[in-house]
Amino acid sequence: MKYLLLLFAVSIAALSFSSFSEKKVVSFQQKSTPMTRGKVIYTQYCLPCHQADGGGVLHLNPPLIKTSYVLGSKVTLVEILTKGLNKGVEIDGDSYTNPMPAQNLTDQQVADVLTFVRNSFGNKASAVSAAEVKAIRAKLK
Ligand code: HEC
């Protein structure tokens, strides 16, 4: 009987501890928004070339700071991410020679990363939704 009681007490303690720690994890989790998700995608997929501050690498990878591409047509942006780009863009009088490979991202990931880029590094432009990306991609193929 003593052992049964002890077992009971231990399992109650374990149960209350696990529900306590679960609550803690949830309350510390960062709220997921297009900007927070977009930043994670940017860090993984774009940062190696376009750099943490969006400044790019002179003559190799162009900057993403207030360029006509970043602030401009969503159709062009979705096309660049979906198909890549290899035409040698010129930005602020500097030419860039690296090709950009197509990015293997879902509609939602493209929407989030473009929303992040269009509203980071000093940029200010409208958000991009997954539905918009889907509609644009349907016409690309
Ligand atoms: C392997 C390096 C590389 C990666 C990874 C990469 N890019 Fe690029 N990106 C380039 C290069 C190089 C160009 C210019 C291509 C050209 O001149 O034809 C470019 C062009 C662009 C442009 C148009 C030009 C400008 O600077 O405004 C945008 C927008 C862009 N990239 C966004 C992104 C985003 C967003 C990601 C991540 C999802 C990404 N790129 C990933 C290398 C890269």
Side-chain angles (χ1 to χ4, degrees), residues 85-114:
L85 191 65
N86 191 5
K87 67 170 201 180
V89 297
E90 194 172 306
I91 289 168
D92 291 336
D94 292 311
S95 54
Y96 292 85
T97 52
N98 270 354
M100 172 167 155
Q103 303 295 302
N104 189 15
L105 300 170
T106 65
D107 295 344
Q108 187 67 57
Q109 286 175 314
V110 168
D112 291 342
V113 79
L114 287 178

mmCIF file of all heavy atoms in Angstrom, residues 85-114:
data_model
loop_
_atom_site.group_PDB
_atom_site.id
_atom_site.type_symbol
_atom_site.label_atom_id
_atom_site.label_comp_id
_atom_site.label_asym_id
_atom_site.label_seq_id
_atom_site.Cartn_x
_atom_site.Cartn_y
_atom_site.Cartn_z
ATOM 1 N N LEU A 85 17.256 33.902 -62.373
ATOM 2 C CA LEU A 85 17.494 35.073 -63.228
ATOM 3 C C LEU A 85 18.930 35.006 -63.725
ATOM 4 O O LEU A 85 19.861 34.767 -62.952
ATOM 5 C CB LEU A 85 17.277 36.361 -62.411
ATOM 6 C CG LEU A 85 17.214 37.672 -63.187
ATOM 7 C CD1 LEU A 85 15.991 37.699 -64.109
ATOM 8 C CD2 LEU A 85 17.162 38.863 -62.232
ATOM 9 N N ASN A 86 19.089 35.207 -65.030
ATOM 10 C CA ASN A 86 20.449 35.157 -65.578
ATOM 11 C C ASN A 86 20.548 36.127 -66.743
ATOM 12 O O ASN A 86 20.739 35.739 -67.883
ATOM 13 C CB ASN A 86 20.776 33.725 -66.024
ATOM 14 C CG ASN A 86 22.253 33.559 -66.351
ATOM 15 O OD1 ASN A 86 23.045 34.480 -66.156
ATOM 16 N ND2 ASN A 86 22.633 32.408 -66.850
ATOM 17 N N LYS A 87 20.371 37.406 -66.429
ATOM 18 C CA LYS A 87 20.454 38.394 -67.515
ATOM 19 C C LYS A 87 21.485 39.466 -67.214
ATOM 20 O O LYS A 87 21.795 40.279 -68.068
ATOM 21 C CB LYS A 87 19.077 39.016 -67.757
ATOM 22 C CG LYS A 87 18.550 39.878 -66.621
ATOM 23 C CD LYS A 87 17.294 40.628 -67.071
ATOM 24 C CE LYS A 87 17.037 41.837 -66.201
ATOM 25 N NZ LYS A 87 15.850 42.582 -66.609
ATOM 26 N N GLY A 88 22.043 39.448 -65.991
ATOM 27 C CA GLY A 88 23.029 40.458 -65.643
ATOM 28 C C GLY A 88 22.367 41.794 -65.371
ATOM 29 O O GLY A 88 22.395 42.691 -66.209
ATOM 30 N N VAL A 89 21.749 41.915 -64.189
ATOM 31 C CA VAL A 89 21.044 43.161 -63.872
ATOM 32 C C VAL A 89 22.048 44.279 -63.608
ATOM 33 O O VAL A 89 23.212 44.030 -63.269
ATOM 34 C CB VAL A 89 20.119 43.003 -62.639
ATOM 35 C CG1 VAL A 89 19.033 41.989 -62.908
ATOM 36 C CG2 VAL A 89 20.912 42.651 -61.387
ATOM 37 N N GLU A 90 21.588 45.506 -63.790
ATOM 38 C CA GLU A 90 22.410 46.671 -63.456
ATOM 39 C C GLU A 90 21.653 47.478 -62.408
ATOM 40 O O GLU A 90 20.485 47.815 -62.595
ATOM 41 C CB GLU A 90 22.674 47.516 -64.707
ATOM 42 C CG GLU A 90 23.779 48.528 -64.473
ATOM 43 C CD GLU A 90 24.196 49.262 -65.751
ATOM 44 O OE1 GLU A 90 24.528 48.576 -66.735
ATOM 45 O OE2 GLU A 90 24.162 50.504 -65.737
ATOM 46 N N ILE A 91 22.295 47.735 -61.262
ATOM 47 C CA ILE A 91 21.645 48.466 -60.179
ATOM 48 C C ILE A 91 22.570 49.566 -59.689
ATOM 49 O O ILE A 91 23.738 49.302 -59.342
ATOM 50 C CB ILE A 91 21.246 47.498 -59.038
ATOM 51 C CG1 ILE A 91 20.069 46.627 -59.516
ATOM 52 C CG2 ILE A 91 20.863 48.257 -57.767
ATOM 53 C CD1 ILE A 91 19.746 45.462 -58.637
ATOM 54 N N ASP A 92 22.067 50.792 -59.704
ATOM 55 C CA ASP A 92 22.858 51.961 -59.300
ATOM 56 C C ASP A 92 24.182 52.028 -60.066
ATOM 57 O O ASP A 92 25.235 52.323 -59.493
ATOM 58 C CB ASP A 92 23.135 51.940 -57.785
ATOM 59 C CG ASP A 92 21.869 52.173 -56.968
ATOM 60 O OD1 ASP A 92 20.920 52.785 -57.511
ATOM 61 O OD2 ASP A 92 21.832 51.730 -55.802
ATOM 62 N N GLY A 93 24.145 51.700 -61.356
ATOM 63 C CA GLY A 93 25.330 51.800 -62.199
ATOM 64 C C GLY A 93 26.309 50.649 -62.064
ATOM 65 O O GLY A 93 27.336 50.629 -62.740
ATOM 66 N N ASP A 94 26.038 49.698 -61.182
ATOM 67 C CA ASP A 94 26.918 48.533 -61.041
ATOM 68 C C ASP A 94 26.253 47.315 -61.676
ATOM 69 O O ASP A 94 25.063 47.077 -61.486
ATOM 70 C CB ASP A 94 27.195 48.235 -59.562
ATOM 71 C CG ASP A 94 28.036 49.315 -58.913
ATOM 72 O OD1 ASP A 94 29.076 49.678 -59.501
ATOM 73 O OD2 ASP A 94 27.646 49.813 -57.834
ATOM 74 N N SER A 95 27.048 46.531 -62.420
ATOM 75 C CA SER A 95 26.465 45.332 -63.023
ATOM 76 C C SER A 95 26.813 44.100 -62.195
ATOM 77 O O SER A 95 27.837 44.052 -61.514
ATOM 78 C CB SER A 95 26.953 45.164 -64.459
ATOM 79 O OG SER A 95 28.361 45.182 -64.476
ATOM 80 N N TYR A 96 25.913 43.124 -62.259
ATOM 81 C CA TYR A 96 26.048 41.906 -61.450
ATOM 82 C C TYR A 96 26.091 40.706 -62.383
ATOM 83 O O TYR A 96 25.236 40.576 -63.264
ATOM 84 C CB TYR A 96 24.891 41.824 -60.449
ATOM 85 C CG TYR A 96 25.028 42.936 -59.423
ATOM 86 C CD1 TYR A 96 24.530 44.210 -59.676
ATOM 87 C CD2 TYR A 96 25.736 42.717 -58.253
ATOM 88 C CE1 TYR A 96 24.713 45.243 -58.762
ATOM 89 C CE2 TYR A 96 25.932 43.743 -57.336
ATOM 90 C CZ TYR A 96 25.420 44.999 -57.600
ATOM 91 O OH TYR A 96 25.620 46.019 -56.708
ATOM 92 N N THR A 97 27.107 39.874 -62.189
ATOM 93 C CA THR A 97 27.375 38.850 -63.191
ATOM 94 C C THR A 97 26.954 37.446 -62.787
ATOM 95 O O THR A 97 26.850 36.570 -63.636
ATOM 96 C CB THR A 97 28.885 38.818 -63.522
ATOM 97 O OG1 THR A 97 29.596 38.714 -62.281
ATOM 98 C CG2 THR A 97 29.304 40.085 -64.235
ATOM 99 N N ASN A 98 26.737 37.190 -61.502
ATOM 100 C CA ASN A 98 26.327 35.842 -61.094
ATOM 101 C C ASN A 98 24.916 35.543 -61.594
ATOM 102 O O ASN A 98 24.087 36.444 -61.657
ATOM 103 C CB ASN A 98 26.298 35.713 -59.563
ATOM 104 C CG ASN A 98 27.625 35.250 -59.003
ATOM 105 O OD1 ASN A 98 28.545 34.923 -59.742
ATOM 106 N ND2 ASN A 98 27.730 35.237 -57.685
ATOM 107 N N PRO A 99 24.637 34.284 -61.928
ATOM 108 C CA PRO A 99 23.244 33.910 -62.168
ATOM 109 C C PRO A 99 22.564 33.604 -60.837
ATOM 110 O O PRO A 99 23.225 33.159 -59.898
ATOM 111 C CB PRO A 99 23.354 32.635 -63.013
ATOM 112 C CG PRO A 99 24.677 32.042 -62.646
ATOM 113 C CD PRO A 99 25.563 33.169 -62.151
ATOM 114 N N MET A 100 21.259 33.882 -60.744
ATOM 115 C CA MET A 100 20.514 33.486 -59.545
ATOM 116 C C MET A 100 19.763 32.199 -59.868
ATOM 117 O O MET A 100 18.972 32.153 -60.808
ATOM 118 C CB MET A 100 19.524 34.572 -59.127
ATOM 119 C CG MET A 100 18.618 34.092 -58.001
ATOM 120 S SD MET A 100 17.704 35.423 -57.237
ATOM 121 C CE MET A 100 16.308 34.502 -56.586
ATOM 122 N N PRO A 101 20.011 31.133 -59.095
ATOM 123 C CA PRO A 101 19.304 29.874 -59.362
ATOM 124 C C PRO A 101 17.836 29.958 -58.938
ATOM 125 O O PRO A 101 17.492 30.724 -58.036
ATOM 126 C CB PRO A 101 20.049 28.849 -58.506
ATOM 127 C CG PRO A 101 20.740 29.634 -57.443
ATOM 128 C CD PRO A 101 20.943 31.031 -57.974
ATOM 129 N N ALA A 102 16.964 29.168 -59.579
ATOM 130 C CA ALA A 102 15.560 29.070 -59.163
ATOM 131 C C ALA A 102 15.504 28.595 -57.723
ATOM 132 O O ALA A 102 16.330 27.793 -57.297
ATOM 133 C CB ALA A 102 14.824 28.093 -60.075
ATOM 134 N N GLN A 103 14.549 29.120 -56.950
ATOM 135 C CA GLN A 103 14.424 28.759 -55.543
ATOM 136 C C GLN A 103 13.266 27.779 -55.392
ATOM 137 O O GLN A 103 12.155 28.052 -55.832
ATOM 138 C CB GLN A 103 14.169 30.020 -54.706
ATOM 139 C CG GLN A 103 15.243 31.084 -54.875
ATOM 140 C CD GLN A 103 16.592 30.633 -54.345
ATOM 141 O OE1 GLN A 103 16.730 30.285 -53.183
ATOM 142 N NE2 GLN A 103 17.599 30.625 -55.225
ATOM 143 N N ASN A 104 13.547 26.655 -54.754
ATOM 144 C CA ASN A 104 12.540 25.608 -54.608
ATOM 145 C C ASN A 104 11.676 25.880 -53.371
ATOM 146 O O ASN A 104 11.921 25.331 -52.313
ATOM 147 C CB ASN A 104 13.241 24.252 -54.517
ATOM 148 C CG ASN A 104 12.258 23.102 -54.575
ATOM 149 O OD1 ASN A 104 11.101 23.278 -54.960
ATOM 150 N ND2 ASN A 104 12.699 21.935 -54.170
ATOM 151 N N LEU A 105 10.685 26.761 -53.518
ATOM 152 C CA LEU A 105 9.865 27.199 -52.385
ATOM 153 C C LEU A 105 8.387 27.014 -52.700
ATOM 154 O O LEU A 105 7.973 27.116 -53.865
ATOM 155 C CB LEU A 105 10.131 28.684 -52.097
ATOM 156 C CG LEU A 105 11.566 29.087 -51.727
ATOM 157 C CD1 LEU A 105 11.699 30.604 -51.710
ATOM 158 C CD2 LEU A 105 11.961 28.502 -50.382
ATOM 159 N N THR A 106 7.577 26.788 -51.658
ATOM 160 C CA THR A 106 6.126 26.700 -51.831
ATOM 161 C C THR A 106 5.552 28.104 -52.062
ATOM 162 O O THR A 106 6.231 29.106 -51.817
ATOM 163 C CB THR A 106 5.453 26.104 -50.587
ATOM 164 O OG1 THR A 106 5.653 27.012 -49.501
ATOM 165 C CG2 THR A 106 6.036 24.751 -50.219
ATOM 166 N N ASP A 107 4.283 28.166 -52.493
ATOM 167 C CA ASP A 107 3.619 29.459 -52.685
ATOM 168 C C ASP A 107 3.672 30.276 -51.393
ATOM 169 O O ASP A 107 3.934 31.483 -51.411
ATOM 170 C CB ASP A 107 2.143 29.259 -53.082
ATOM 171 C CG ASP A 107 2.001 28.569 -54.445
ATOM 172 O OD1 ASP A 107 2.993 28.522 -55.203
ATOM 173 O OD2 ASP A 107 0.891 28.084 -54.733
ATOM 174 N N GLN A 108 3.395 29.612 -50.261
ATOM 175 C CA GLN A 108 3.391 30.308 -48.972
ATOM 176 C C GLN A 108 4.792 30.833 -48.627
ATOM 177 O O GLN A 108 4.938 31.953 -48.134
ATOM 178 C CB GLN A 108 2.907 29.353 -47.858
ATOM 179 C CG GLN A 108 2.712 30.025 -46.510
ATOM 180 C CD GLN A 108 1.565 31.033 -46.519
ATOM 181 O OE1 GLN A 108 0.441 30.671 -46.834
ATOM 182 N NE2 GLN A 108 1.851 32.295 -46.199
ATOM 183 N N GLN A 109 5.816 30.035 -48.892
ATOM 184 C CA GLN A 109 7.185 30.470 -48.593
ATOM 185 C C GLN A 109 7.598 31.649 -49.470
ATOM 186 O O GLN A 109 8.243 32.583 -48.987
ATOM 187 C CB GLN A 109 8.161 29.301 -48.792
ATOM 188 C CG GLN A 109 8.084 28.248 -47.691
ATOM 189 C CD GLN A 109 8.982 27.053 -47.977
ATOM 190 O OE1 GLN A 109 8.999 26.530 -49.092
ATOM 191 N NE2 GLN A 109 9.732 26.631 -46.985
ATOM 192 N N VAL A 110 7.219 31.615 -50.753
ATOM 193 C CA VAL A 110 7.532 32.736 -51.649
ATOM 194 C C VAL A 110 6.827 33.994 -51.149
ATOM 195 O O VAL A 110 7.428 35.080 -51.065
ATOM 196 C CB VAL A 110 7.114 32.415 -53.103
ATOM 197 C CG1 VAL A 110 7.168 33.671 -53.980
ATOM 198 C CG2 VAL A 110 8.017 31.331 -53.693
ATOM 199 N N ALA A 111 5.548 33.844 -50.763
ATOM 200 C CA ALA A 111 4.783 34.994 -50.254
ATOM 201 C C ALA A 111 5.463 35.572 -49.010
ATOM 202 O O ALA A 111 5.673 36.782 -48.914
ATOM 203 C CB ALA A 111 3.349 34.565 -49.935
ATOM 204 N N ASP A 112 5.816 34.717 -48.074
ATOM 205 C CA ASP A 112 6.407 35.188 -46.821
ATOM 206 C C ASP A 112 7.768 35.846 -47.040
ATOM 207 O O ASP A 112 8.043 36.909 -46.477
ATOM 208 C CB ASP A 112 6.547 34.022 -45.822
ATOM 209 C CG ASP A 112 5.199 33.519 -45.316
ATOM 210 O OD1 ASP A 112 4.198 34.257 -45.443
ATOM 211 O OD2 ASP A 112 5.149 32.395 -44.785
ATOM 212 N N VAL A 113 8.621 35.225 -47.858
ATOM 213 C CA VAL A 113 9.961 35.795 -48.023
ATOM 214 C C VAL A 113 9.894 37.112 -48.803
ATOM 215 O O VAL A 113 10.645 38.047 -48.516
ATOM 216 C CB VAL A 113 10.949 34.770 -48.664
ATOM 217 C CG1 VAL A 113 10.784 34.658 -50.165
ATOM 218 C CG2 VAL A 113 12.391 35.150 -48.315
ATOM 219 N N LEU A 114 8.972 37.203 -49.773
ATOM 220 C CA LEU A 114 8.841 38.472 -50.512
ATOM 221 C C LEU A 114 8.253 39.559 -49.622
ATOM 222 O O LEU A 114 8.680 40.715 -49.678
ATOM 223 C CB LEU A 114 7.993 38.280 -51.782
ATOM 224 C CG LEU A 114 8.689 37.522 -52.923
ATOM 225 C CD1 LEU A 114 7.747 37.349 -54.117
ATOM 226 C CD2 LEU A 114 9.975 38.235 -53.365
#
